PDB file of all heavy atoms in Angstrom:
ATOM      1  N   GLY A  31       8.603 -11.117   1.323  1.00  0.00           N
ATOM      2  CA  GLY A  31       7.465 -10.388   1.626  1.00  0.00           C
ATOM      3  C   GLY A  31       6.702 -11.073   2.965  1.00  0.00           C
ATOM      4  O   GLY A  31       6.947 -12.227   3.240  1.00  0.00           O
ATOM      5  N   LEU A  32       5.843 -10.308   3.542  1.00  0.00           N
ATOM      6  CA  LEU A  32       5.003 -10.767   4.684  1.00  0.00           C
ATOM      7  C   LEU A  32       4.198 -11.840   4.161  1.00  0.00           C
ATOM      8  O   LEU A  32       3.876 -12.804   4.907  1.00  0.00           O
ATOM      9  CB  LEU A  32       4.319  -9.638   5.415  1.00  0.00           C
ATOM     10  CG  LEU A  32       3.578 -10.097   6.607  1.00  0.00           C
ATOM     11  CD1 LEU A  32       4.620 -10.396   7.628  1.00  0.00           C
ATOM     12  CD2 LEU A  32       2.596  -8.942   7.090  1.00  0.00           C
ATOM     13  N   TRP A 149      -8.872  -6.070  -3.727  1.00  0.00           N
ATOM     14  CA  TRP A 149      -7.522  -5.710  -4.062  1.00  0.00           C
ATOM     15  C   TRP A 149      -7.423  -5.249  -5.496  1.00  0.00           C
ATOM     16  O   TRP A 149      -6.746  -4.201  -5.856  1.00  0.00           O
ATOM     17  CB  TRP A 149      -6.525  -6.908  -3.987  1.00  0.00           C
ATOM     18  CG  TRP A 149      -5.036  -6.445  -4.107  1.00  0.00           C
ATOM     19  CD1 TRP A 149      -4.236  -6.056  -3.222  1.00  0.00           C
ATOM     20  CD2 TRP A 149      -4.405  -6.435  -5.352  1.00  0.00           C
ATOM     21  NE1 TRP A 149      -3.004  -5.697  -3.867  1.00  0.00           N
ATOM     22  CE2 TRP A 149      -3.101  -6.148  -5.180  1.00  0.00           C
ATOM     23  CE3 TRP A 149      -4.800  -6.798  -6.648  1.00  0.00           C
ATOM     24  CZ2 TRP A 149      -2.115  -5.896  -6.256  1.00  0.00           C
ATOM     25  CZ3 TRP A 149      -3.844  -6.697  -7.665  1.00  0.00           C
ATOM     26  CH2 TRP A 149      -2.429  -6.219  -7.417  1.00  0.00           C
ATOM     27  N   HIS A 157      -4.387   3.108 -10.752  1.00  0.00           N
ATOM     28  CA  HIS A 157      -3.939   3.404 -12.058  1.00  0.00           C
ATOM     29  C   HIS A 157      -4.848   4.566 -12.762  1.00  0.00           C
ATOM     30  O   HIS A 157      -4.266   5.405 -13.406  1.00  0.00           O
ATOM     31  CB  HIS A 157      -4.044   2.184 -12.952  1.00  0.00           C
ATOM     32  CG  HIS A 157      -2.832   1.289 -12.749  1.00  0.00           C
ATOM     33  ND1 HIS A 157      -1.587   1.534 -13.189  1.00  0.00           N
ATOM     34  CD2 HIS A 157      -2.726   0.052 -12.168  1.00  0.00           C
ATOM     35  CE1 HIS A 157      -0.713   0.576 -12.984  1.00  0.00           C
ATOM     36  NE2 HIS A 157      -1.395  -0.384 -12.311  1.00  0.00           N
ATOM     37  N   ASN A 193      -0.948 -11.047 -15.203  1.00  0.00           N
ATOM     38  CA  ASN A 193       0.373 -10.393 -14.937  1.00  0.00           C
ATOM     39  C   ASN A 193       1.038 -10.901 -13.586  1.00  0.00           C
ATOM     40  O   ASN A 193       0.318 -11.473 -12.792  1.00  0.00           O
ATOM     41  CB  ASN A 193       0.289  -8.831 -14.802  1.00  0.00           C
ATOM     42  CG  ASN A 193      -0.853  -8.378 -13.731  1.00  0.00           C
ATOM     43  OD1 ASN A 193      -1.413  -9.253 -13.080  1.00  0.00           O
ATOM     44  ND2 ASN A 193      -1.179  -7.169 -13.971  1.00  0.00           N
ATOM     45  N   SER A 194       2.371 -10.726 -13.490  1.00  0.00           N
ATOM     46  CA  SER A 194       3.036 -11.084 -12.186  1.00  0.00           C
ATOM     47  C   SER A 194       3.127  -9.965 -11.253  1.00  0.00           C
ATOM     48  O   SER A 194       2.787  -8.857 -11.496  1.00  0.00           O
ATOM     49  CB  SER A 194       4.441 -11.591 -12.727  1.00  0.00           C
ATOM     50  OG  SER A 194       5.155 -10.471 -13.235  1.00  0.00           O
ATOM     51  N   GLN A 195       3.532 -10.405  -9.998  1.00  0.00           N
ATOM     52  CA  GLN A 195       3.807  -9.384  -9.014  1.00  0.00           C
ATOM     53  C   GLN A 195       4.721  -8.284  -9.386  1.00  0.00           C
ATOM     54  O   GLN A 195       4.650  -7.123  -9.261  1.00  0.00           O
ATOM     55  CB  GLN A 195       4.224  -9.997  -7.635  1.00  0.00           C
ATOM     56  CG  GLN A 195       4.394  -9.029  -6.479  1.00  0.00           C
ATOM     57  CD  GLN A 195       4.971  -9.649  -5.341  1.00  0.00           C
ATOM     58  OE1 GLN A 195       6.099 -10.333  -5.372  1.00  0.00           O
ATOM     59  NE2 GLN A 195       4.281  -9.505  -4.273  1.00  0.00           N
ATOM     60  N   ARG A 196       5.900  -8.804 -10.073  1.00  0.00           N
ATOM     61  CA  ARG A 196       6.908  -7.800 -10.512  1.00  0.00           C
ATOM     62  C   ARG A 196       6.248  -6.827 -11.554  1.00  0.00           C
ATOM     63  O   ARG A 196       6.621  -5.670 -11.540  1.00  0.00           O
ATOM     64  CB  ARG A 196       8.140  -8.599 -11.182  1.00  0.00           C
ATOM     65  CG  ARG A 196       9.168  -7.637 -11.683  1.00  0.00           C
ATOM     66  CD  ARG A 196      10.456  -8.562 -12.170  1.00  0.00           C
ATOM     67  NE  ARG A 196      10.963  -9.230 -11.057  1.00  0.00           N
ATOM     68  CZ  ARG A 196      12.249  -9.953 -11.101  1.00  0.00           C
ATOM     69  NH1 ARG A 196      12.647 -10.151 -12.355  1.00  0.00           N
ATOM     70  NH2 ARG A 196      12.647 -10.559 -10.111  1.00  0.00           N
ATOM     71  N   GLU A 197       5.571  -7.358 -12.526  1.00  0.00           N
ATOM     72  CA  GLU A 197       4.921  -6.475 -13.523  1.00  0.00           C
ATOM     73  C   GLU A 197       4.045  -5.462 -12.803  1.00  0.00           C
ATOM     74  O   GLU A 197       3.979  -4.309 -13.282  1.00  0.00           O
ATOM     75  CB  GLU A 197       4.159  -7.297 -14.557  1.00  0.00           C
ATOM     76  CG  GLU A 197       3.408  -6.530 -15.524  1.00  0.00           C
ATOM     77  CD  GLU A 197       2.615  -7.364 -16.483  1.00  0.00           C
ATOM     78  OE1 GLU A 197       2.915  -8.523 -16.722  1.00  0.00           O
ATOM     79  OE2 GLU A 197       1.648  -6.724 -17.040  1.00  0.00           O
ATOM     80  N   ARG A 198       3.189  -5.913 -11.839  1.00  0.00           N
ATOM     81  CA  ARG A 198       2.303  -5.089 -11.328  1.00  0.00           C
ATOM     82  C   ARG A 198       3.061  -3.848 -10.537  1.00  0.00           C
ATOM     83  O   ARG A 198       2.613  -2.668 -10.541  1.00  0.00           O
ATOM     84  CB  ARG A 198       1.432  -5.770 -10.291  1.00  0.00           C
ATOM     85  CG  ARG A 198       0.457  -6.716 -11.010  1.00  0.00           C
ATOM     86  CD  ARG A 198      -0.590  -7.211 -10.008  1.00  0.00           C
ATOM     87  NE  ARG A 198      -0.051  -8.058  -8.884  1.00  0.00           N
ATOM     88  CZ  ARG A 198       0.061  -9.471  -9.118  1.00  0.00           C
ATOM     89  NH1 ARG A 198      -0.314 -10.047 -10.247  1.00  0.00           N
ATOM     90  NH2 ARG A 198       0.494 -10.146  -8.107  1.00  0.00           N
ATOM     91  N   ARG A 199       4.205  -4.280  -9.890  1.00  0.00           N
ATOM     92  CA  ARG A 199       4.914  -3.225  -9.159  1.00  0.00           C
ATOM     93  C   ARG A 199       5.577  -2.299 -10.204  1.00  0.00           C
ATOM     94  O   ARG A 199       5.566  -1.035  -9.908  1.00  0.00           O
ATOM     95  CB  ARG A 199       5.910  -3.828  -8.297  1.00  0.00           C
ATOM     96  CG  ARG A 199       5.422  -4.470  -7.053  1.00  0.00           C
ATOM     97  CD  ARG A 199       6.499  -4.891  -6.057  1.00  0.00           C
ATOM     98  NE  ARG A 199       5.912  -5.437  -4.838  1.00  0.00           N
ATOM     99  CZ  ARG A 199       6.573  -5.881  -3.701  1.00  0.00           C
ATOM    100  NH1 ARG A 199       7.877  -5.959  -3.909  1.00  0.00           N
ATOM    101  NH2 ARG A 199       5.941  -6.219  -2.714  1.00  0.00           N
ATOM    102  N   LEU A 200       6.112  -2.752 -11.246  1.00  0.00           N
ATOM    103  CA  LEU A 200       6.761  -1.856 -12.367  1.00  0.00           C
ATOM    104  C   LEU A 200       5.707  -0.900 -12.888  1.00  0.00           C
ATOM    105  O   LEU A 200       5.985   0.217 -13.139  1.00  0.00           O
ATOM    106  CB  LEU A 200       7.436  -2.744 -13.365  1.00  0.00           C
ATOM    107  CG  LEU A 200       8.766  -3.295 -12.984  1.00  0.00           C
ATOM    108  CD1 LEU A 200       9.244  -4.259 -14.148  1.00  0.00           C
ATOM    109  CD2 LEU A 200       9.757  -2.335 -12.690  1.00  0.00           C
ATOM    110  N   CYS A 201       4.593  -1.410 -13.190  1.00  0.00           N
ATOM    111  CA  CYS A 201       3.456  -0.615 -13.711  1.00  0.00           C
ATOM    112  C   CYS A 201       3.140   0.492 -12.768  1.00  0.00           C
ATOM    113  O   CYS A 201       2.872   1.658 -13.216  1.00  0.00           O
ATOM    114  CB  CYS A 201       2.284  -1.529 -13.956  1.00  0.00           C
ATOM    115  SG  CYS A 201       2.409  -2.576 -15.517  1.00  0.00           S
ATOM    116  N   ARG A 202       3.017   0.222 -11.465  1.00  0.00           N
ATOM    117  CA  ARG A 202       2.730   1.282 -10.559  1.00  0.00           C
ATOM    118  C   ARG A 202       3.841   2.305 -10.544  1.00  0.00           C
ATOM    119  O   ARG A 202       3.600   3.637 -10.278  1.00  0.00           O
ATOM    120  CB  ARG A 202       2.453   0.763  -9.094  1.00  0.00           C
ATOM    121  CG  ARG A 202       1.198   0.010  -9.076  1.00  0.00           C
ATOM    122  CD  ARG A 202       0.777  -0.219  -7.604  1.00  0.00           C
ATOM    123  NE  ARG A 202       1.669  -1.140  -6.903  1.00  0.00           N
ATOM    124  CZ  ARG A 202       1.500  -2.406  -6.767  1.00  0.00           C
ATOM    125  NH1 ARG A 202       0.437  -3.062  -7.464  1.00  0.00           N
ATOM    126  NH2 ARG A 202       2.327  -3.165  -6.115  1.00  0.00           N
ATOM    127  N   TRP A 203       5.052   1.917 -10.605  1.00  0.00           N
ATOM    128  CA  TRP A 203       6.173   2.833 -10.683  1.00  0.00           C
ATOM    129  C   TRP A 203       6.083   3.785 -11.919  1.00  0.00           C
ATOM    130  O   TRP A 203       6.286   4.958 -11.820  1.00  0.00           O
ATOM    131  CB  TRP A 203       7.606   2.116 -10.663  1.00  0.00           C
ATOM    132  CG  TRP A 203       8.045   1.744  -9.267  1.00  0.00           C
ATOM    133  CD1 TRP A 203       7.660   0.706  -8.652  1.00  0.00           C
ATOM    134  CD2 TRP A 203       9.124   2.417  -8.537  1.00  0.00           C
ATOM    135  NE1 TRP A 203       8.369   0.626  -7.362  1.00  0.00           N
ATOM    136  CE2 TRP A 203       9.280   1.789  -7.289  1.00  0.00           C
ATOM    137  CE3 TRP A 203       9.822   3.600  -8.791  1.00  0.00           C
ATOM    138  CZ2 TRP A 203      10.003   2.193  -6.439  1.00  0.00           C
ATOM    139  CZ3 TRP A 203      10.707   4.046  -7.757  1.00  0.00           C
ATOM    140  CH2 TRP A 203      10.764   3.343  -6.598  1.00  0.00           C
ATOM    141  N   PHE A 204       5.830   3.130 -13.085  1.00  0.00           N
ATOM    142  CA  PHE A 204       5.650   3.922 -14.350  1.00  0.00           C
ATOM    143  C   PHE A 204       4.405   4.854 -14.229  1.00  0.00           C
ATOM    144  O   PHE A 204       4.448   5.997 -14.750  1.00  0.00           O
ATOM    145  CB  PHE A 204       5.576   2.986 -15.558  1.00  0.00           C
ATOM    146  CG  PHE A 204       7.021   2.503 -15.998  1.00  0.00           C
ATOM    147  CD1 PHE A 204       7.232   1.102 -15.914  1.00  0.00           C
ATOM    148  CD2 PHE A 204       7.968   3.371 -16.420  1.00  0.00           C
ATOM    149  CE1 PHE A 204       8.458   0.641 -16.234  1.00  0.00           C
ATOM    150  CE2 PHE A 204       9.184   2.891 -16.881  1.00  0.00           C
ATOM    151  CZ  PHE A 204       9.381   1.455 -16.805  1.00  0.00           C
ATOM    152  N   CYS A 205       3.336   4.335 -13.526  1.00  0.00           N
ATOM    153  CA  CYS A 205       2.222   5.242 -13.314  1.00  0.00           C
ATOM    154  C   CYS A 205       2.536   6.536 -12.559  1.00  0.00           C
ATOM    155  O   CYS A 205       2.226   7.573 -12.962  1.00  0.00           O
ATOM    156  CB  CYS A 205       1.275   4.414 -12.564  1.00  0.00           C
ATOM    157  SG  CYS A 205      -0.317   5.311 -12.025  1.00  0.00           S
ATOM    158  N   PHE A 228       7.915  10.258  -3.174  1.00  0.00           N
ATOM    159  CA  PHE A 228       7.517   9.026  -3.692  1.00  0.00           C
ATOM    160  C   PHE A 228       8.408   7.704  -3.271  1.00  0.00           C
ATOM    161  O   PHE A 228       7.873   6.737  -2.788  1.00  0.00           O
ATOM    162  CB  PHE A 228       7.374   9.040  -5.165  1.00  0.00           C
ATOM    163  CG  PHE A 228       7.061   7.717  -5.791  1.00  0.00           C
ATOM    164  CD1 PHE A 228       5.764   7.163  -5.677  1.00  0.00           C
ATOM    165  CD2 PHE A 228       8.005   6.986  -6.363  1.00  0.00           C
ATOM    166  CE1 PHE A 228       5.427   5.985  -6.230  1.00  0.00           C
ATOM    167  CE2 PHE A 228       7.704   5.745  -7.045  1.00  0.00           C
ATOM    168  CZ  PHE A 228       6.362   5.228  -6.885  1.00  0.00           C
ATOM    169  N   PHE A 235       6.709   0.294   2.044  1.00  0.00           N
ATOM    170  CA  PHE A 235       5.888  -0.672   1.513  1.00  0.00           C
ATOM    171  C   PHE A 235       6.634  -1.831   1.040  1.00  0.00           C
ATOM    172  O   PHE A 235       6.200  -3.034   1.318  1.00  0.00           O
ATOM    173  CB  PHE A 235       5.027  -0.001   0.308  1.00  0.00           C
ATOM    174  CG  PHE A 235       4.159  -1.006  -0.382  1.00  0.00           C
ATOM    175  CD1 PHE A 235       2.845  -1.101   0.086  1.00  0.00           C
ATOM    176  CD2 PHE A 235       4.411  -1.639  -1.495  1.00  0.00           C
ATOM    177  CE1 PHE A 235       1.878  -1.910  -0.530  1.00  0.00           C
ATOM    178  CE2 PHE A 235       3.555  -2.453  -2.126  1.00  0.00           C
ATOM    179  CZ  PHE A 235       2.309  -2.661  -1.657  1.00  0.00           C
ATOM    180  N   VAL A 236       7.751  -1.736   0.345  1.00  0.00           N
ATOM    181  CA  VAL A 236       8.568  -2.780  -0.069  1.00  0.00           C
ATOM    182  C   VAL A 236       9.162  -3.677   1.102  1.00  0.00           C
ATOM    183  O   VAL A 236       9.302  -4.793   0.966  1.00  0.00           O
ATOM    184  CB  VAL A 236       9.673  -2.292  -1.058  1.00  0.00           C
ATOM    185  CG1 VAL A 236      10.624  -3.388  -1.427  1.00  0.00           C
ATOM    186  CG2 VAL A 236       8.995  -1.674  -2.359  1.00  0.00           C
ATOM    187  N   LEU A 237       9.517  -2.871   2.086  1.00  0.00           N
ATOM    188  CA  LEU A 237      10.167  -3.446   3.196  1.00  0.00           C
ATOM    189  C   LEU A 237       9.108  -3.814   4.316  1.00  0.00           C
ATOM    190  O   LEU A 237       9.444  -3.951   5.586  1.00  0.00           O
ATOM    191  CB  LEU A 237      11.106  -2.517   3.863  1.00  0.00           C
ATOM    192  CG  LEU A 237      12.349  -2.100   2.919  1.00  0.00           C
ATOM    193  CD1 LEU A 237      13.212  -1.081   3.697  1.00  0.00           C
ATOM    194  CD2 LEU A 237      13.103  -3.393   2.507  1.00  0.00           C
ATOM    195  N   ASN A 238       7.922  -3.912   3.996  1.00  0.00           N
ATOM    196  CA  ASN A 238       6.795  -4.224   4.929  1.00  0.00           C
ATOM    197  C   ASN A 238       7.003  -5.475   5.810  1.00  0.00           C
ATOM    198  O   ASN A 238       6.850  -5.409   7.015  1.00  0.00           O
ATOM    199  CB  ASN A 238       5.525  -4.512   4.125  1.00  0.00           C
ATOM    200  CG  ASN A 238       4.319  -4.580   5.135  1.00  0.00           C
ATOM    201  OD1 ASN A 238       4.248  -3.917   6.113  1.00  0.00           O
ATOM    202  ND2 ASN A 238       3.573  -5.585   4.873  1.00  0.00           N
TER     203      ASN A 238
END
Side-chain angles (χ1 to χ4, degrees):
L32 186 67
W149 186 90
H157 281 290
N193 50 13
S194 64
Q195 181 188 51
R196 178 176 295 181
E197 178 185 334
R198 291 191 294 270
R199 286 188 174 180
L200 283 175
C201 285
R202 288 196 294 269
W203 275 81
F204 282 115
C205 173
F228 172 73
F235 180 84
V236 174
L237 298 178
N238 186 45

